[in-house]
Structure formats: C-alpha cells, structure tokens
Amino acid sequence: YAVHGVLLAGYGFAVTPANLPALALTLPAKTGVELVAGQLSTAAIALAVALAAGIVSLLVLNGRRAALPLGFALLMALLPVLPVSTRMEPRYAVPAWIVLSIAFAAGCWELAAEGSRARRRTAIALAAAACVAGLALNRQDWDVRFARLQRMSAENRFLLAMNDGDLLRQPLTLAASLWELRWMKEAVFHRASGGSWFQDDLYLCVHPQPSGRVWGYDDGTHRVADITAQIPAQRARYCSSIRSQAPLSASSSVSGGALFWEFGPYLEGKYWLILNDGVVALEMPRHAGFETRGLTALPLRIKYVSPAGWITYSPELRFDLADGSRLDWSRQATEGDEEASLRTRNEHRGSREVPSR
C-alpha cells in the first residue's frame, strides 16, 4: 500500500477481462519458452524430452490419482501469472518449473518402483539425462544473462562517476532505475552532479552536437570507453537509414487510469516508445495497455524496426491521459517510399487502417 497507494491493484501492463482469453492461450507457450531459456539447442530439446517422458510415466502408472493433483498444481502455478503475462519474465515461470520438476521426480520414482530391471534402468537414464541437459542449458543461458548483467553493472557504476556534459550511449538498465541511480549519486553518495544518457540513437539525429564526451560499453574489454570520435560516423549511418515517410499508425484510448494502444500497420517487427528524443526507449507489444496513474499527458514517438532491418519513427505525439481521451494518427505510404508501401500491401494485407488526425 505504501508503494502503490492501493491494496489490490497491478502495475505495469494493464489487462482487461476481454484480454484474458488471448493471454491464456499464449501463456503455456510463453512458459515453455522460459523453461528452456528461449533456446532450441540440443540441451533444451533433451531436457524437454526427458521431462515429458518422466511426467508421462507418472500419469500412465497412476492415472487420475496423479493427473488431478498435477493439473491443479499447474493451474495454481499459472493462474496468478495470467494477468501479468503480457510480457513474460523468467521469474513468472518458476512456480510451473517447480511443479514439473516434482512431477518428473515422482514419475522416475514410480517407474523405478515397478520392480522391472528395464524400468529401473529407464528411470535412471531419464534422471541422468534431465540433470546433464539441465546443467548444459543452465551454462548456455548463464553466458547470455551474465554478459548482460556484467554490462549493466559497468554502466551503472560508470554513471556514478560521470561529469557534467558526459553522455552514456544505449545503457541497458531501465531509464527509471537510471534516474534513481543518479539521485543516489547526488543525495546519498554526495558526488558531483552531471552525466546523462540516451537509449536510442535518434538522440544523435535530434542533437547533432553533444555538449560533452560520449561513452559506450565495449564488449571486448567489458568496460565503458570514450566513443566520442566514433559518433559522427554512427550518426551519419543511423540517421540516413531512417525511412521518415514509411507507413506507420497509432491508435490509443484511456480508460480506468490505463493507456491502451494499437500500433500498425505491420504485424511483424518490433515497436518501441521513444521519450525525450531518445533518452528513454521502451520496447512494447503492438497491442497492449499500460497503467498511467498520476500522469496527465505523455509526449512520445513511436519507433518501428522491420524484420528486414529498416527503421521509421513517428513525429512526437502527445497522448492525453485523461479518462476517455483518444488519439488516432497515421502516415500513409507516399510515392517516394514505394518499397515500404509494397511491403505493407504484401506482408500485412487486411490489417486495420487507422484514420488520420
């Protein structure tokens, strides 16, 4: 209550009862992806096969006596996750993983207890395969996650020592946490103020002359390095790649303290919310809602990244966050952007058109 001001309410992505069926249909797949660390490696396949074989053995040998408790346990593990599963986080899959691990162990135990030497060997083989595959998958995923955390740690510690005018390019930590870190730098550690960042390179296009040095993370040395000399080339390359007239649309409404949106016209690719000319960049689903209690307006741009690699931005749009407010904006294809227009017609035929405002 002290944090959110209400006893029972969510934060982050907003979900209405109408959204729940669609989320329920995708939740098992999202959970499965997290259980294998989003990989389709040999270790992930071996782990999935071993787990499935052990759980099937439990169900075959015990029938309804095992199926009912297992189904109930999975329901209890997944049901609380459903309202927050618009964007799946690894921790959301932990309860389901515990249930499946226990069911697998019980299945191996039941298989070994049948008395047959062949079944005992099968149970031992399944258990060994699951342990070896699980360890291998853990190490594969650890490399990815640890590298990301190592970069975040270096960037966050560097922020504490930044001088006035310094800019940090594309830090991985969420901007809200970076702002808190900068507050801690000044109010808690009593260090000199100064230093900022940008998470999207649109900042370089809007601000062609940074006031100080620009810094960025170097994967080779695992530290933050001075990249000021590289910025002119990076700016020219990035800014020239933007398709400023490519089709793009945004439709939004505000209800119950939440902003709901639908971006288009592309069904594939990634959409981002860009605030403060690129200081903040947040990847978002094409169709979703977010809690906005306490805000009255939100000026931002929509960024779209095509699977083919090209990028486009909307102009800065002002989202009025008063209940009942709506915004409808679109940019249609022009003769000067025939390739984007053809892509829109061929790949996204039948997508809903949003009228211009």
Side-chain angles (χ1 to χ4, degrees):
Y1 179 82
V3 173
H4 297 299
V6 291
L7 290 176
L8 292 174
Y11 65 97
F13 287 102
V15 174
T16 64
N19 301 138
L20 293 178
L23 288 177
L25 289 174
T26 59
L27 182 57
K30 290 178 179 178
T31 304
V33 167
E34 292 299 335
L35 295 185
V36 295
Q39 301 184 34
L40 199 60
S41 61
T42 302
I45 295 172
L47 178 61
V49 170
L51 280 176
I55 293 172
V56 167
S57 299
L58 174 67
L59 297 176
V60 169
L61 294 174
N62 291 273
R64 292 178 59 186
R65 190 163 61 92
L68 291 177
L70 176 58
F72 180 76
L74 281 174
L75 182 64
M76 292 297 99
L78 295 176
L79 198 58
V81 175
L82 181 61
V84 295
S85 63
T86 301
R87 172 166 293 172
M88 194 69 177
E89 299 288 347
R91 64 182 181 274
Y92 297 165
V94 171
W97 173 250
I98 293 173
V99 171
L100 294 177
S101 298
I102 293 173
F104 171 76
C108 291
W109 178 271
E110 293 287 345
L111 197 60
E114 283 295 299
S116 166
R117 181 175 296 180
R119 289 189 172 183
R120 284 199 297 272
R121 288 176 178 174
T122 300
I124 293 172
L126 285 177
C131 289
V132 172
L135 180 61
L137 184 59
N138 175 274
R139 294 297 86 193
Q140 292 171 9
D141 192 43
W142 175 265
D143 289 341
V144 176
R145 295 183 191 271
F146 182 73
R148 180 178 177 84
L149 291 174
Q150 189 176 37
R151 174 175 171 175
M152 292 171 67
S153 175
E155 291 172 339
N156 292 348
R157 285 184 285 111
F158 182 79
L159 185 64
L160 295 176
M162 290 177 71
N163 298 316
D164 196 29
D166 285 348
L167 281 170
L168 180 61
R169 177 175 179 256
Q170 295 182 344
L172 293 183
T173 302
L174 287 174
S177 297
L178 292 175
W179 279 318
E180 294 296 331
L181 184 60
R182 189 163 65 179
W183 172 84
M184 290 180 62
K185 170 188 176 182
E186 300 171 10
V188 178
F189 300 124
H190 304 293
R191 298 188 180 184
S193 62
S196 189
W197 62 86
F198 59 93
Q199 296 183 318
D200 190 270
D201 279 350
L202 176 68
Y203 186 92
L204 298 175
C205 307
V206 180
H207 303 274
Q209 297 296 331
S211 58
R213 291 187 294 177
V214 182
W215 303 79
Y217 184 74
D218 185 287
D219 291 314
T221 60
H222 305 298
R223 65 182 181 84
V224 176
D226 188 343
I227 59 171
T228 307
Q230 305 169 24
I231 290 302
Q234 174 65 29
R235 179 191 299 111
R237 183 168 56 250
Y238 187 82
C239 301
S240 64
S241 70
I242 298 173
R243 296 187 178 180
S244 58
Q245 297 303 316
L248 192 62
S249 64
S251 176
S252 73
S253 62
V254 180
S255 176
L259 172 68
F260 297 92
W261 67 79
E262 182 174 351
F263 302 143
Y266 315 99
L267 302 181
E268 303 297 330
K270 297 181 179 180
Y271 290 91
W272 298 71
L273 299 182
I274 307 298
L275 289 79
N276 298 339
D277 297 332
V279 173
V280 180
L282 301 168
E283 184 182 351
M284 290 291 175
R286 187 179 75 88
H287 178 74
F290 208 83
E291 300 287 345
T292 58
R293 292 183 177 87
L295 298 176
T296 58
L298 192 60
L300 53 81
R301 303 173 192 258
I302 312 302
K303 174 185 178 182
Y304 170 72
V305 181
S306 163
W310 57 269
I311 301 168
T312 189
Y313 292 86
S314 74
E316 188 170 78
L317 306 173
R318 180 180 175 83
F319 290 78
D320 186 353
L321 301 181
D323 253 22
S325 298
R326 293 188 59 85
L327 181 143
D328 293 289
W329 172 88
S330 71
R331 182 174 62 214
Q332 306 301 327
T334 64
E335 293 182 1
D337 198 359
E338 295 178 358
E339 183 180 352
S341 178
L342 181 62
R343 182 183 300 275
T344 302
R345 292 196 300 269
N346 290 346
E347 296 183 4
H348 311 289
R349 194 182 305 276
S351 63
R352 185 170 68 86
E353 293 293 335
V354 181
S356 298
R357 177 178 172 178

